[in-house]
Amino acid sequence: MNMNKKNSADAGQSPKTLRRRLHPDDRRQQIIDGAVAFFAEVGLDGKTRDLAKKIGITQSLLFKYFATKDALIEAVYEQVYLNRLSPEWTHRIADRSIPLRDRILAFYSDYSRLIFEYNWMRIFMFSGLAGAELNRRYLDHMHQMILRPLLEEIRVAASGSAVPTMEDLWNLHGGIVYIGIRQHIYRMPYTADPNEAIERSVNRFLSAFSVETA
Amino acid sequence: MNMNKKNSADAGQSPKTLRRRLHPDDRRQQIIDGAVAFFAEVGLDGKTRDLAKKIGITQSLLFKYFATKDALIEAVYEQVYLNRLSPEWTHRIADRSIPLRDRILAFYSDYSRLIFEYNWMRIFMFSGLAGAELNRRYLDHMHQMILRPLLEEIRVAASGSAVPTMEDLWNLHGGIVYIGIRQHIYRMPYTADPNEAIERSVNRFLSAFSVETA
DNA sequence: AATGTTGTTGATCATTTGATCTATAACTGA
DNA sequence: TCAGTTATAGATCAAATGATCAACAACATT
């Protein structure tokens, strides 16, 4: 009756679970990657047992690498948020040797790769709803490092009498971000080319302030 | 040691809780209202005990009015989603006796009262992330009953060569909705006047397609 | 091959949580 | 005033869930 210990010589059933021993760094990263995908899908209230099953490890192992579930979620935040807004963009936006329109399109071409990503978009929304401090900081960073310089550049380039406000810029930004929200939060079928939509949106915005668009 | 049953004659402590008896209809509505506010704040994974405490009733009473927690959430959806998009708007948008710009501004003036509402915005987002069918239906309704007629009207009114696409319209829409997202999802401090931002956004959009804006 | 280290598992604990059940008390009508 | 009805509270159940711990086995070293 006791099927413990290595007496399985006759039944011949191979050990159900190949117990693979990973280097702690690799295992930790594997858990984080799995957790990002998992929590992005079901939300931060996802259960540790479900996560473990999805990764293919035991639930108890999670707690060998992260003291608490909150600590794991913190690691998820870190993985998702870290190095997302390159500080280089602040400078590139202000580089007047390049046409303003090109600078904006270059930024959003780069940035859209981020916001149109399933895991990012959903974890950003989940953490935002949960009131995570990180969201506020991220948006503040977006405001200070991207939109504010951008506002200044557009004001300088505006040749008409109309000049944009910061609220106008958030409107431009929001319209673009909303593409990702429709895709990944609301899961609406999306067939169009996001880059084209972005380009048209930017063009409309600039022409409203008489920034040459062609 | 047995402090059960009516042997509390000496301690004389008045009944802690005035047990108020409400008409079932009233109680049910009270629960729904409380649930809307509660789930909007903490998410649909909020615990029934916390909800009961917030309402000021016992947790068991919740299950006298709703068989399961899911049934309660369904009632919350119903309360929040029902009668949100007046079918009248489909006609008002197509009423060419009124300048197009006025029609659009009238719609968003009305609609923004909805999307800038805390409970609505957050429950819509929570349910969207949870994959609720109702979201899909709502957005589809928005597409068919509002944006599609709107697209047609703008195309007719466009006097230039440029003509908007449906994607352009979603961009306009998204930029406006994003105001509510910033306010209620990300809880960013918001001081500006939303109506002004909306008006400027609509004006930019229309002028891009040579629809007289003044 | 024997041994030591440690990454991993399975069982288990203590709470939490959705849901149920019985006793109670607030309101109604005679 | 008193009995009947039922809305409500409090205790409790069973499953779920975050977290712990001793035992095991995979890999490295000798």
Side-chain angles (χ1 to χ4, degrees):
Chain A
M1 196 58 110
N2 53 353
M3 58 209 308
N4 53 353
K5 306 203 169 174
K6 49 186 67 175
N7 65 348
S8 62
D10 59 336
Q13 45 179 339
S14 58
K16 287 278 180 21
T17 51
L18 266 296
R19 187 188 279 196
R20 269 182 46 197
R21 238 174 120 101
L22 261 58
H23 186 82
D25 293 345
D26 295 337
R27 182 66 82 189
R28 183 186 166 86
Q29 192 56 50
Q30 180 197 35
I31 291 176
I32 293 178
D33 290 341
V36 166
F38 175 74
F39 288 125
E41 198 170 336
V42 307
L44 304 175
D45 291 303
K47 312 306 176 189
T48 56
R49 278 172 179 77
D50 295 332
L51 168 58
K53 180 180 285 185
K54 178 170 175 177
I55 297 178
I57 60 177
T58 48
Q59 181 240 7
S60 63
L61 190 57
L62 292 175
F63 291 90
K64 282 288 188 295
Y65 287 87
F66 301 93
T68 67
K69 184 187 171 186
D70 279 343
L72 173 56
I73 289 178
E74 279 303 312
V76 166
Y77 283 167
E78 195 177 331
Q79 161 103 345
V80 168
Y81 277 85
L82 217 59
N83 300 327
R84 283 299 186 170
L85 268 184
S86 165
E88 195 196 350
W89 274 113
T90 302
H91 300 101
R92 294 186 61 181
I93 282 171
D95 179 5
R96 297 183 184 170
S97 71
I98 297 174
L100 176 55
R101 175 175 172 277
D102 293 346
R103 280 177 268 160
I104 299 179
L105 288 179
F107 168 72
Y108 274 111
S109 169
D110 196 71
Y111 187 62
S112 67
R113 269 196 291 278
L114 164 62
I115 57 182
F116 296 157
E117 195 184 311
Y118 181 86
N119 285 346
W120 156 264
M121 185 83 256
R122 290 179 67 89
I123 286 192
F124 187 81
M125 198 60 78
F126 277 124
S127 66
L129 280 163
E133 175 80 14
L134 219 43
N135 272 71
R136 234 56 98 62
R137 265 193 280 157
Y138 179 86
L139 288 165
D140 190 62
H141 194 257
M142 170 65 68
H143 175 91
Q144 299 293 342
M145 299 293 125
I146 306 290
L147 297 189
R148 218 161 52 115
L150 201 49
L151 180 64
E152 180 59 22
E153 293 304 308
I154 297 177
R155 281 180 168 167
V156 166
S159 59
S161 62
V163 141
T165 65
M166 181 53 82
E167 203 51 34
D168 291 329
L169 258 188
W170 273 112
N171 178 265
L172 169 69
H173 188 74
I176 292 172
V177 171
Y178 196 73
I179 297 173
I181 293 178
R182 276 196 291 153
Q183 265 190 288
H184 299 308
I185 309 296
Y186 304 144
R187 299 176 190 271
M188 291 176 74
Y190 194 88
T191 57
D193 175 20
N195 286 317
E196 191 187 327
I198 292 175
E199 186 166 347
R200 289 169 64 87
S201 174
V202 170
N203 284 344
R204 281 198 302 277
F205 192 86
L206 291 181
S207 72
F209 300 105
S210 306
V211 177
E212 73 281 6
T213 305
Chain B
M1 197 56 115
N2 53 354
M3 59 210 308
N4 54 351
K5 308 208 167 171
K6 49 185 67 175
N7 65 349
S8 62
D10 59 335
Q13 45 183 335
S14 61
K16 288 279 180 21
T17 52
L18 266 295
R19 187 188 281 196
R20 267 183 46 198
R21 238 172 120 100
L22 260 58
H23 186 82
D25 293 345
D26 295 337
R27 183 67 82 189
R28 183 185 165 87
Q29 192 56 49
Q30 180 196 34
I31 291 177
I32 293 178
D33 291 341
V36 167
F38 175 73
F39 288 126
E41 196 170 337
V42 307
L44 303 175
D45 290 304
K47 312 306 177 188
T48 56
R49 279 172 178 77
D50 296 332
L51 168 59
K53 180 180 285 184
K54 179 171 174 177
I55 297 178
I57 60 176
T58 50
Q59 182 241 7
S60 64
L61 190 56
L62 292 175
F63 292 90
K64 281 287 188 294
Y65 287 87
F66 301 92
T68 68
K69 184 187 171 186
D70 279 343
L72 173 56
I73 289 177
E74 279 303 313
V76 166
Y77 284 167
E78 195 177 330
Q79 161 104 346
V80 168
Y81 277 84
L82 218 60
N83 300 328
R84 283 300 186 170
L85 268 183
S86 165
E88 196 196 349
W89 274 113
T90 303
H91 300 102
R92 294 186 63 180
I93 282 171
D95 179 4
R96 295 183 185 169
S97 71
I98 298 173
L100 176 56
R101 176 176 172 276
D102 293 346
R103 280 178 268 160
I104 299 180
L105 288 180
F107 168 72
Y108 275 113
S109 169
D110 197 70
Y111 187 61
S112 67
R113 268 196 292 277
L114 165 62
I115 57 182
F116 296 157
E117 195 184 309
Y118 181 86
N119 285 346
W120 156 264
M121 185 82 255
R122 291 179 67 89
I123 287 191
F124 187 81
M125 198 59 77
F126 277 124
S127 66
L129 280 164
E133 176 79 13
L134 218 43
N135 272 72
R136 234 54 99 64
R137 265 193 280 158
Y138 179 87
L139 288 165
D140 189 61
H141 194 257
M142 170 66 68
H143 175 91
Q144 299 293 342
M145 298 294 124
I146 306 290
L147 297 189
R148 216 161 52 114
L150 201 50
L151 179 64
E152 179 59 21
E153 293 304 309
I154 297 178
R155 280 180 169 167
V156 167
S159 58
S161 60
V163 141
T165 65
M166 182 53 84
E167 203 51 35
D168 291 329
L169 258 188
W170 274 111
N171 178 264
L172 169 68
H173 188 74
I176 292 172
V177 171
Y178 196 73
I179 297 174
I181 294 178
R182 276 196 291 152
Q183 265 189 288
H184 299 308
I185 310 296
Y186 304 146
R187 299 175 191 271
M188 291 174 74
Y190 193 87
T191 58
D193 175 20
N195 285 317
E196 190 186 328
I198 291 175
E199 186 166 348
R200 289 168 64 87
S201 174
V202 169
N203 284 344
R204 282 199 301 277
F205 192 85
L206 291 181
S207 72
F209 299 105
S210 306
V211 177
E212 72 281 6
T213 305

